[in-house]
Every structure is written in C-alpha cells, then in structure tokens.
Amino acid sequence: MLNEINQAKKVLLGNRKKGYTLPTNNKLYPAQWNWDSGFIALGYSHFNLKFALEEINTLLRGQWNDGMVPHILFHDLNTNYYPNHSVWNCGNKIRSSGITQPPILAIMLRKILEKIIIKNKDKFKIKSIIKKITKYHQWLLKYRDPKNSGLVSILHPWESGYDNSPLWDKPLNAIKIEKNLKYKRGDNKIINPDFRPLDIDYDRYVTIKNHLRKNKYDPKKLYQNSMFNVVDVGFNSIFLKANKDLLSLLKKFNLEYKDIQNYIVKSETQIEKLYDKRKKSFVNYDIKNKKKITAPSITNYFILFADLKNKLINKEIIKTLRKHNSKDKFFFSSIKPNNIKYEEKRYWRGPVWINCNWIIYQGLKDKDKKFANLVRRKTIDLVKKSGFYEYFDTNNGNPYGAKNFSWTASLFLDLILEKKYN
Ligand code: DGY
C-alpha cells in the first residue's frame, strides 16, 4: 500500500505547476480545471496542506468580478488545447473559459479544515477563501436560478464535467450547428478518438460556446436565451451538498449565512420533485425544450451525496443503485451497461470514473455502511490493478484516456487514508 500511496503523491507532484496542478501531465489538459482542482486539493491535504490551500487559492484568483469561478484557467497561453484562451476571449485576472463547473470547493475546504487546528494567524486567510466561495455560490443563486426555484441550471454540457454523457443527447440534438464552423480539435490527436467525444458533439459544444461569447457571457441574458439550459441532478446535488458545507463554514467563522440557509431549505424540497416515484430514480429537466431527461447516468445518484433528509427516498435510491451494475466486477459504469447509449470505451458514455465512485461512496457512508465499504474497496482495487488513469472499462477494468491523472491519484489517496481521520 505504501508504494501505491507514494506513487499517488508522485502523480500529483509531477503534475504540479506554480500554485496549481494540471489534470494530467501530458498535453491533453494543459490548464487548471475547476472541479479537478477541488479534488486535487483534497489529495494534497493528506501530505501537504500548503499545496492544498494554494490549489484553491489559485483557482479563486481567477474568479470573475461578478463571482463566477470559471471551469478553466489558462495560466499558460502557449498550448495546443482547444478551445484555448483566445477562442474564449475572456477572464478576469487570469484568462479563462466563460462557463463554470460543479462547485465542489466548499465541500473540499470543509474536509480539509476538519483535519487541522486553525491557528489564529491563519483565520483571516481562511475567512477570505470562504468569502470568495460564498460569492461564487451567490452568483449561482442569482444567475443560474433567477426565479429562485431552488434549482440551478447549467448552460453548457462542459459545465457538468461529464461532457458527452447521454444525458445531453436530446438537448444537443435540438441545437442547430453553426454554419461554416471552423476549429481544430486537439484532444483526439493525443488520445485514441474511440475514447473521446465524437466530432458532432464538438460541433455542438463549439456552437454553444460561440453563442455564449457573442452574448459577451452576460449571465442574465444567457439564462434566458442560451441554446442549452438544463437542471441536472448531479450538478444540483453537488451544489446542495456544497451549500450545506458552506453553511457550516459560515457559522464557524461568524459570517452571514441566512441566504445560503434559506436556499438549502428550498433546494431540499425542490430537488425531490425530480424524483420519479414509480421508477425510484431521479430525472433531469431540460428547461430549454421543456422535457424530462431520463438517461440512466451514475451522476443521478449524486443525490446521495446531497444527504437529503428524506429517508425513504434515500433507501429507494440505494436499492436502484444496486441494480446499476454493482454486481459486475468493475463499477460504477457512467451509464447503465444495458442501456442502448452505453459505449464501453467512450469518455462519459460507459467507463468507470473515480470521482463518481468517490462522490457516491461519500453519500453512502452514513446510509449503508456495507455497500459504502464495497464501493471503497472496489475503487481502490481498480486503481491498483490498472493505474492512475482517467477512466476505466467496466467490462475488464482496462485503463483509458490520460495516464497520471491527478484526481484519480488524489481520490485514491483520500479513500485509502481517510480512515486515519474517522
Ligand atoms: C475537455 O477538453 O474534454 C474538457 O472536458 C472540457 O472541459
């Protein structure tokens, strides 16, 4: 185990740049990604607290004036990544993308702070991080839920983090691809195209991105007229959990918490409206096309992470989750394997992702200890067998995508070492 722990640390340190960490050390993702950095910070917290807080601080240095924390920060302007900084053409102190990603910072910060005794001299610095995260959450409240419904929207599939999930097939099919679209993908030159999203998906991603840029990333306008507007259970579950953790931090540091507290109450009841009692599973809602989205994505089970008070729903969801593919040798597949959309090798359309397993494990811990331990064990074993890769084949555990993948290393560390703190 010690050997693997050291290897995981080496992956993180190997990918580390000045104050932030790349998702992988090859050319695939040569920038800082929002939710990757959150997971990475947690990994560092097991052996280098300074790096953990620095990772979060650097990400927050890229925060926009209105509060948005971008999904990518382009610290290095000379890369072949597409879409790069000039194509996005935005950013505050650091060039960035014009969209966000699952807001996991509050969750990670709380976990990190639980491990340490905060010295008086550090209180001010930590308070300032909490204030920035609060501003980020306020941005989501104001611009992604302007009607104060209790649920926030994503305006681009990239905002979910699970870019080409079958969840987005229907809303993306409804999009008219821009005429004479010209761009050059870099990703499928580096990784086998069979493991990456299709060109048609990229045409749509780029069409939506161009539309956002044409609207100058004006969040008010875009909620109304974006080509894509979806209430995703996964994203909202993470946000609900993040709001709960933020609330606890705000209280601890004597900061104003009423808005966040009220929003939690609202979200908790509203998210239950996405529960299909008959199928005993959660569905997503396409606001743009006024349609439910029912694809059996593992991210629908992030609801367990949100820690709903409703015990019956939690119980039923766990029962449904057991039928996803936990009888298989390798799980969880990103899409239920018997689904017509399932593709064993293609990015978010079938493979196992370590961050999904980690999120679900966290959600199961206090609801079904035995199942939680099985998830933990299987996830650790998969990484031990196949290495610190980006994603894995559900059938045989084969690794795909980037190697030396930071969040795989980080979450592996957390799964192995968390016991120490429990
Ligand atoms: C990519 O480039 O594949 C990223 O997932 C986009 O954020």
Side-chain angles (χ1 to χ4, degrees):
M1 204 77 111
L2 201 61
N3 194 15
E4 279 118 358
I5 291 174
N6 287 335
Q7 278 170 13
K9 291 178 186 172
K10 241 171 99 181
V11 167
L12 287 178
L13 295 173
N15 293 341
R16 191 162 190 271
K17 300 277 161 188
K18 227 173 153 235
Y20 73 97
T21 308
L22 301 174
T24 169
N25 61 5
N26 71 14
K27 298 195 178 81
L28 188 61
Y29 307 122
Q32 184 179 18
W33 260 260
N34 185 330
W35 76 329
D36 292 70
S37 266
F39 292 125
I40 287 165
L42 182 65
Y44 280 133
S45 71
H46 289 286
F47 65 102
N48 190 327
L49 210 59
K50 186 170 160 270
F51 287 0
L53 293 175
E54 231 170 72
E55 188 75 32
I56 294 176
N57 263 322
T58 307
L59 186 69
L60 290 170
R61 268 208 300 124
Q63 182 166 35
W64 286 15
N65 287 334
D66 63 3
M68 203 265 281
V69 180
H71 104 292
I72 306 176
L73 297 183
F74 299 103
H75 298 283
D76 177 0
L77 302 185
N78 291 313
T79 71
N80 288 325
Y81 180 75
Y82 183 86
N84 67 8
H85 68 96
S86 65
V87 178
W88 281 105
N89 194 33
C90 57
N92 187 15
K93 291 194 182 89
I94 303 167
R95 306 296 296 264
S96 74
S97 68
I99 55 174
T100 192
Q101 236 181 359
I104 62 170
L105 283 186
I107 303 168
M108 298 307 163
L109 185 64
R110 185 179 176 197
K111 273 190 169 290
I112 292 167
L113 295 183
E114 269 169 7
K115 294 186 196 152
I116 52 172
I117 298 160
I118 303 161
K119 296 189 194 107
N120 260 339
K121 69 171 178 50
D122 292 330
K123 276 201 177 130
F124 180 77
K125 272 193 251 162
I126 289 168
K127 237 179 171 164
S128 131
I129 299 179
I130 296 170
K131 282 184 190 162
K132 287 179 191 163
I133 296 177
T134 308
K135 197 171 166 195
Y136 177 29
H137 284 216
Q138 300 277 16
W139 178 87
L140 283 162
L141 259 59
K142 183 168 173 193
Y143 294 115
R144 294 312 181 82
D145 183 15
K147 294 179 191 135
N148 195 17
S149 72
L151 299 172
V152 293
S153 287
I154 53 171
L155 304 186
H156 194 300
W158 282 336
E159 292 202 307
S160 70
Y162 17 104
D163 308 358
N164 68 337
S165 165
L167 287 170
W168 321 132
D169 286 2
K170 280 193 180 145
L172 286 181
N173 273 336
I175 285 172
K176 233 176 115 188
I177 293 169
E178 193 181 303
K179 266 195 202 145
N180 305 321
L181 202 57
K182 274 200 193 81
Y183 66 96
K184 235 200 194 129
R185 283 177 73 172
D187 64 305
N188 56 1
K189 315 282 180 306
I190 301 160
I191 298 291
N192 183 339
D194 290 346
F195 308 164
R196 294 289 304 173
L198 300 171
D199 282 341
I200 179 100
D201 295 324
Y202 261 77
D203 284 354
R204 289 167 178 144
Y205 302 150
V206 175
T207 298
I208 308 172
K209 174 192 68 64
N210 289 350
H211 180 255
L212 300 174
R213 179 175 168 173
K214 264 179 225 137
N215 282 277
K216 300 194 166 54
Y217 307 103
D218 176 343
K220 218 175 185 165
K221 247 181 141 170
L222 283 167
Y223 183 88
Q224 303 304 331
N225 74 4
S226 171
M227 301 170 122
F228 182 97
N229 184 333
V230 173
V231 167
D232 169 50
V233 173
F235 193 99
N236 276 280
S237 300
I238 288 175
F239 190 44
L240 180 50
K241 165 74 174 156
N243 272 325
K244 289 179 178 179
D245 286 344
L246 179 60
L247 177 65
S248 132
L249 292 172
L250 290 170
K251 284 183 175 167
K252 193 167 162 185
F253 285 83
N254 291 320
L255 293 163
E256 172 52 44
Y257 60 82
K258 277 280 173 292
D259 286 358
I260 298 296
Q261 190 173 47
N262 292 339
Y263 199 75
I264 290 170
V265 174
K266 192 162 250 170
S267 304
E268 182 102 17
T269 49
Q270 289 306 307
I271 208 161
E272 283 187 17
K273 296 199 172 140
L274 297 174
Y275 186 56
D276 181 330
K277 283 200 183 87
R278 215 172 42 81
K279 295 208 173 107
K280 302 198 184 335
S281 59
F282 274 80
V283 297
N284 303 280
Y285 191 69
D286 177 355
I287 292 197
K288 183 86 188 169
N289 301 294
K290 301 191 173 61
K291 278 194 183 114
K292 282 184 189 162
I293 302 172
T294 57
S297 169
I298 194 64
T299 57
N300 296 341
Y301 296 94
F302 289 0
I303 195 72
L304 294 166
F305 192 40
D307 285 331
L308 292 189
K309 286 201 195 81
N310 190 324
K311 290 221 164 60
L312 180 67
I313 290 189
N314 287 336
K315 220 173 116 194
E316 290 183 345
I317 279 297
I318 291 173
K319 237 173 139 179
T320 318
L321 173 62
R322 283 183 180 280
K323 292 182 216 147
H324 187 84
N325 82 316
S326 59
K327 299 275 184 294
D328 295 350
K329 191 159 176 214
F330 304 103
F331 62 78
F332 290 105
S333 55
S334 35
I335 293 299
K336 200 172 173 182
N338 67 358
N339 188 265
I340 186 158
K341 298 283 176 78
Y342 173 83
E343 291 180 69
E344 64 191 36
K345 295 186 176 69
R346 202 180 295 287
Y347 211 39
W348 289 95
R349 300 181 77 84
V352 178
W353 285 79
I354 299 307
N355 67 331
C356 292
N357 283 19
W358 183 90
I359 288 173
I360 289 171
Y361 166 67
Q362 299 299 324
L364 281 172
K365 265 201 287 193
D366 61 346
K367 302 178 188 75
D368 188 333
K369 224 180 168 121
K370 222 170 135 198
F371 193 15
N373 279 332
L374 179 72
V375 175
R376 177 175 173 270
R377 191 72 262 150
K378 285 279 193 175
T379 306
I380 291 172
D381 288 350
L382 175 57
V383 177
K384 276 193 191 169
K385 167 186 146 61
S386 300
F388 300 106
Y389 274 79
E390 191 178 3
Y391 40 101
F392 305 88
D393 194 309
T394 306
N395 291 328
N396 50 30
N398 282 348
Y400 298 128
K403 62 179 181 196
N404 295 322
F405 198 67
S406 297
W407 86 31
T408 302
S410 253
L411 300 176
F412 175 83
L413 273 181
D414 189 62
L415 289 173
I416 285 195
L417 299 175
E418 65 152 15
K419 281 277 184 290
K420 277 215 307 220
Y421 306 98
N422 279 346

